[in-house]
């Protein structure tokens, strides 16, 4: 398949239009010449479709033509020669390409047969272009200032540094027209470098900080506040405009929280300042420090957005808002409470665009997943997911529903709030003002002829009793419970006053879980653990291991050494022997001992196995695991 050459046509208008365009074009032409093959590639790459690559002649592009051998090669052949894919995979991708029109490389990545970084390395060799390592290299602020954020986002172009030969910009899809555009916007000659698309997107989100202009907004706020104090006796109420500094600061905080993958935003007043912290991968990180006078306005703005009472500042309040960030619809749960320095606000961010993961994507071991999948296909009974706040219980419950849901079943949920939306499931959200609690909602669900019921959380005795009765009367119930591990969850039920024989009869299994941070793959390196870490590893039964790994810190993990999290699971199956112990009110130690003899691997054991597989670190296990 021959490529279309449109780079010359796209670039031509820039040379004939206006003084600015003339200057930009002259700047590009005056720049040091690029590598001959790179000059050709910058125009041809963006139209590459996986067949033969059209080669621009010297007369067309002003570039030295590539070698005949390079010109005659196809990208698919290069990938096969490098051992990255097979001929059969290339042929399958070409057939898909004929229907979709996507690029061959993109299709191979989507098929899962080729890694994005391997594709970029092959393309760099194919076209003779340099590769930019955005994971390691920190972009120059001077270069960032030359390309506006909207231009960078719309063109997926990440400015890296400014040199004598021009502005170096990392792109995933280079072209001459893009190079001319960036030169026009920056006023400098531009040199394009290749980088994976995901890296470019991440670098733009990380370096074009939404909170970057907050300092100017704070100054504007202080000016406005000063003028308000001078007219404090005015009878008319103060109207806050949509572009007021406080409004913009709240919008930028939410935008940055989404870009940083934060699960929670904390706005915390103190005597002299207001701290803004994000919880990223389970750990809090300070993002902003604002003047104390701004705290009241920030919280009031958030309460207005969430439909809460802005006059009431002494009592705790809960609310919810929906907003759009970078084109994504986001639900935000808001909770406020009074402290000695003012109202503290916490926002829980629920990304509605997230897809529901399957159980084998969460980190559940293969054998545990096989046993659990068999259990959750039971026609009736109860399965509990136990763990502390923030341990991923809700995600596991939704993944369980995705395993059991099918058109022959009536699946209903009662949640607070509805975090994931299933098109084929009947979901109910609690509403305290309307009297719709977990207990009352569960009772109403039982009159709707359900087969599978998800109860977001068992918080009280009434909900626990209704859930147990539902499991005993022919329904399959899944729910979460706050407990330290699987065994302690059973004792939580006993402490609530549920009879031991009812627990033994209704509960099929309990899953205990935690989340631990993964070692960042971009900065993974060998290290020597401390004596304490080695002792913990050996005491936990870790297999013999000579080499340990840790994340040294890079751009992609914000210098933390960790990126994303993985679930750690223990599965307690209710065998006849376990049921007899429960009816006899056995202690937690007796239940745990018997469960381990019957094959249950504890949370600590599973976490140490992740260390042995170089997925996480001993320090992270110590931080997150406080169970025996």
């Amino acid at each position: 398949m021959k490529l279309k050459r449109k780079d010359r046509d796209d670039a031509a208008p820039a040379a004939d239009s206006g003084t600015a365009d003339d200057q930009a074009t002259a700047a590009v032409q005056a720049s040091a010449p690029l590598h001959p093959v790179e000059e050709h590639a910058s125009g041809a790459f963006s139209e590459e479709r996986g067949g033969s690559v059209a080669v621009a002649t010297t007369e067309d592009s002003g570039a030295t033509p590539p070698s005949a051998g390079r010109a005659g090669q196809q990208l698919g052949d290069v990938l096969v020669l490098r051992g990255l894919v097979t001929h059969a995979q290339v042929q399958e991708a070409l057939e898909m390409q004929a229907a979709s029109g996507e690029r061959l490389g993109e299709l191979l990545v989507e098929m899962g047969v080729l890694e994005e970084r391997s594709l970029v390395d092959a393309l760099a060799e194919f076209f003779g272009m340099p590769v930019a390592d955005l994971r390691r290299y920190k972009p120059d602020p001077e270069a960032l200032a030359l390309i506006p954020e909207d231009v960078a986002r719309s063109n997926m172009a990440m400015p890296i540094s400014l040199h004598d030969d021009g502005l170096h910009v990392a792109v995933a899809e280079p072209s001459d027209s893009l190079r001319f555009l960036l030169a026009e916007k920056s006023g400098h000659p531009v040199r394009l470098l290749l980088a994976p698309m995901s890296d470019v997107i991440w670098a733009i989100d990380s370096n074009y900080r939404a909170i970057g202009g907050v300092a100017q907004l704070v100054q504007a706020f202080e000016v406005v506040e000063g003028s308000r104090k001078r007219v404090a006796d005015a009878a008319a109420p103060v109207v806050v405009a949509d572009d007021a500094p406080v409004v913009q600061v709240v919008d930028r905080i939410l935008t940055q929280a989404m870009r940083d993958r934060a699960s929670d935003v904390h706005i915390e007043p103190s005597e002299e300042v207001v701290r803004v912290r994000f919880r990223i991968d389970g750990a809090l990180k300070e993002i902003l420090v604002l003047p104390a006078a701004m705290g009241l306005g920030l919280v009031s703005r958030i309460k207005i957005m969430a439909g809460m009472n802005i006059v009431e500042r002494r009592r705790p309040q809960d609310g919810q808002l929906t907003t759009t960030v970078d084109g994504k619809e986001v639900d935000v749960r808001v909770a406020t409470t009074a402290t000695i320095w003012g109202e503290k606000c916490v926002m829980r961010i629920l990304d509605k665009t997230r897809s529901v993961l399957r159980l084998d994507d969460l980190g559940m071991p293969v054998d545990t997943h096989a046993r659990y999948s068999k259990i959750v296909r039971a026609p009736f009974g109860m399965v509990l997911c136990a763990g502390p706040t923030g341990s991923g219980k809700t995600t596991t419950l939704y993944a369980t529903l995705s395993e059991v849901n099918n058109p022959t079943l009536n699946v209903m949920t009662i949640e607070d709030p509805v975090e994931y939306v299933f098109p084929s499931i009947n979901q109910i959200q609690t509403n305290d003002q309307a009297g719709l609690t977990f207990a009352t909602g569960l009772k109403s669900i039982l009159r709707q002829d359900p087969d599978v019921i998800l109860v977001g959380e068992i918080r009280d005795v009434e909900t626990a009793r209704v859930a147990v009765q539902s499991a005993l009367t022919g329904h399959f119930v899944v729910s979460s419970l706050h407990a330290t591990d699987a065994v302690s969850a059973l004792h939580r039920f006993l402490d609530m006053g549920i009879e031991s024989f009812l627990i033994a009869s209704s509960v099929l299994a309990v899953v205990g879980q935690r989340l631990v941070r993964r070692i960042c793959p971009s900065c993974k390196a060998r290290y020597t653990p401390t004596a304490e870490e080695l002792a913990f590893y050996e005491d936990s039964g870790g297999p013999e291991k000579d080499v340990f790994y840790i994340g040294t810190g890079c751009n992609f993990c914000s210098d933390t050494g960790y990126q994303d999290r993985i679930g750690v699971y223990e599965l307690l199956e209710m065998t006849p022997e376990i049921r007899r112990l429960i009816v006899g009110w056995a202690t937690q130690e007796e239940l745990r001992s018997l469960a381990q003899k019957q094959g249950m691997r504890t949370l600590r054991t599973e976490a140490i196995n992740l260390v042995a597989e170089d997925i996480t670190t001993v320090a992270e296990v110590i931080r997150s695991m406080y169970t025996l």
Side-chain angles (χ1 to χ4, degrees), residues 293-359:
M294 212 168 188
L296 179 60
L298 285 177
V299 175
S300 295
R301 169 60 183 171
I302 294 168
K303 290 168 75 173
I304 289 171
M305 294 172 67
M308 299 159 69
N309 185 354
I310 65 170
V311 177
E312 180 57 70
R313 299 173 187 165
R314 297 171 299 175
R315 295 179 181 176
Q317 293 189 62
D318 296 313
Q320 189 164 345
L321 63 94
T322 300
T323 186
T324 302
V325 176
D326 291 338
K328 295 180 180 179
E329 193 174 65
V330 182
D331 278 348
V332 182
R333 266 193 303 178
V334 181
T336 61
T337 190
T339 70
I340 59 173
W341 300 118
E343 275 190 293
K344 180 184 187 298
C345 177
V346 175
M347 293 183 283
R348 168 65 58 88
I349 297 175
L350 309 171
D351 185 358
K352 297 177 73 172
T353 63
R354 289 181 302 175
S355 58
V356 177
L357 297 173
R358 299 191 65 83
L359 284 169

Side-chain angles (χ1 to χ4, degrees), residues 346-409:
V346 175
M347 293 183 283
R348 168 65 58 88
I349 297 175
L350 309 171
D351 185 358
K352 297 177 73 172
T353 63
R354 289 181 302 175
S355 58
V356 177
L357 297 173
R358 299 191 65 83
L359 284 169
D360 47 1
D361 297 326
L362 301 176
M364 189 174 283
V366 176
D367 58 336
T368 304
H369 177 232
R371 287 155 48 211
Y372 184 72
S373 296
K374 183 178 179 181
I375 292 170
V376 298
R377 281 168 173 77
F380 57 87
M382 181 189 295
V383 172
L384 294 171
C385 188
T389 300
S391 59
K393 300 186 297 296
T394 302
T395 302
T396 300
L397 291 180
Y398 278 112
T400 302
L401 282 191
S402 69
E403 292 258 333
V404 303
N405 184 34
N406 68 68
T408 66
L409 297 177

Side-chain angles (χ1 to χ4, degrees), residues 37 82 85 131 173 292 295 304 316 368 430 459 487 564 620:
V37 181
R82 288 172 65 97
V85 295
V131 175
E173 299 178 0
I304 289 171
T368 304
T430 60
R459 300 175 179 172
V487 171
D564 293 329
E620 176 63 11

